[in-house]
Amino acid sequence: MNGHPTAIIVPALLAYGQETDANGKDFLESYIVGVETASLLGRCVCPESFIRGWHCTAVMGLFGAVAALGKLRRFSESELAAAFSIAASEASGIKANLGSPVKPFHCGRSAQKAIEIAELAACGCSGNLDAIEAHTGLGTLIAGKVDVSAVMKAIHDKTSVFVSPGMALKPYPSCKRTLNGIEAALSLREEAGAPANITKIRCFVQSEAAGEFNGGNTVAVINIFQNAGGPN
């Protein structure tokens, strides 16, 4: 899904699970369902949707949270399909706001919407059941086309992101493209001892990350470095 599913799925499950006194087994199973669902749907539209400027954590994560809540609430197939059709109209989040306080807001808002969507579906509300893959559906709009075959293949092969490539935890609470830089800055501080001992710093970044820096995220990244205790 090219994003961070836990940031949306866990808050939604915690909110509903606390209200209904859910047990740990049901919570964990629902979390796994949510992550796997977000990953499956991500195969339809990623990385094209991310390249076009969509914040996949918020967009795909919403469906993961809806699936997780559907599992926890023991939705029927028709209720879950209805919830997905609603989510297709509610999924949002743009990369232009990454590096600002709106980025984490994307996650919180998506978790909130997931709970609202589950309530609506439980009450009988529904949209068109092809709202993701239709010609004017969400997938087509954000990625140009929907690769349903990739999803079906993953289901047929019983592919699981928990098995391969496995789940990863962030070492720092910031965008993944800043993590190497933060680690490098902290390592440099450890090795150099003092800024006066540093004569030159050479930086290498992924081409995509460099393009995003040129798009206006440089200041946010520098602020992260400073907050981590690295050199200015």
Side-chain angles (χ1 to χ4, degrees):
M1 63 169 285
N2 201 16
H4 313 290
T6 300
I8 297 173
I9 295 171
V10 166
L13 285 177
L14 283 175
Y16 184 78
Q18 181 177 352
E19 181 181 341
T20 59
D21 197 26
N23 63 54
K25 179 177 181 293
D26 289 343
F27 186 99
L28 180 58
E29 288 180 348
S30 299
Y31 169 70
I32 293 172
V33 166
V35 173
E36 295 286 10
T37 300
S39 172
L40 282 171
L41 286 178
R43 295 170 189 269
C44 282
V45 297
C46 295
E48 182 60 30
S49 59
F50 187 77
I51 294 171
R52 290 186 175 209
W54 293 95
H55 183 199
C56 294
T57 292
V59 177
M60 293 295 103
L62 173 62
F63 291 95
V66 167
L69 289 171
K71 170 69 172 175
L72 193 60
R73 298 180 61 140
R74 294 176 171 81
F75 270 8
S76 66
E77 181 179 338
S78 60
E79 287 175 322
L80 187 58
F84 270 45
S85 70
I86 301 170
S89 277
E90 293 294 302
S92 63
I94 56 174
K95 285 170 60 180
N97 273 325
L98 301 192
S100 78
V102 174
K103 181 183 180 182
F105 175 75
H106 285 172
C107 298
R109 184 71 180 107
S110 291
Q112 179 186 16
K113 285 191 288 189
I115 293 175
E116 295 170 351
I117 288 166
E119 289 291 333
L120 287 169
C123 292
C125 181
S126 178
N128 291 320
L129 299 186
D130 63 348
I132 297 176
E133 70 272 20
H135 175 64
T136 53
L138 174 70
T140 306
L141 294 174
I142 67 174
K145 63 179 181 178
V146 180
D147 188 2
V148 177
S149 63
V151 176
M152 300 311 296
K153 183 179 186 306
I155 293 174
H156 179 269
D157 296 342
K158 297 183 178 179
T159 301
S160 168
V161 295
F162 282 95
V163 176
S164 178
M167 296 292 286
L169 298 178
K170 283 185 171 186
Y172 307 104
S174 64
C175 180
K176 62 184 178 182
R177 287 188 176 82
T178 68
L179 300 182
N180 288 345
I182 293 174
E183 188 68 27
L186 293 175
S187 297
L188 181 62
R189 183 180 66 176
E190 182 73 19
E191 295 173 11
N197 297 328
I198 302 171
T199 58
K200 186 177 183 180
I201 298 176
R202 297 180 66 193
C203 296
F204 300 88
V205 299
Q206 297 173 336
S207 58
E208 186 177 350
E212 289 188 356
F213 292 169
N214 291 335
N217 286 344
T218 309
V219 173
V221 173
I222 290 175
N223 286 338
I224 292 172
F225 287 163
Q226 293 172 339
N227 292 337
N232 293 335

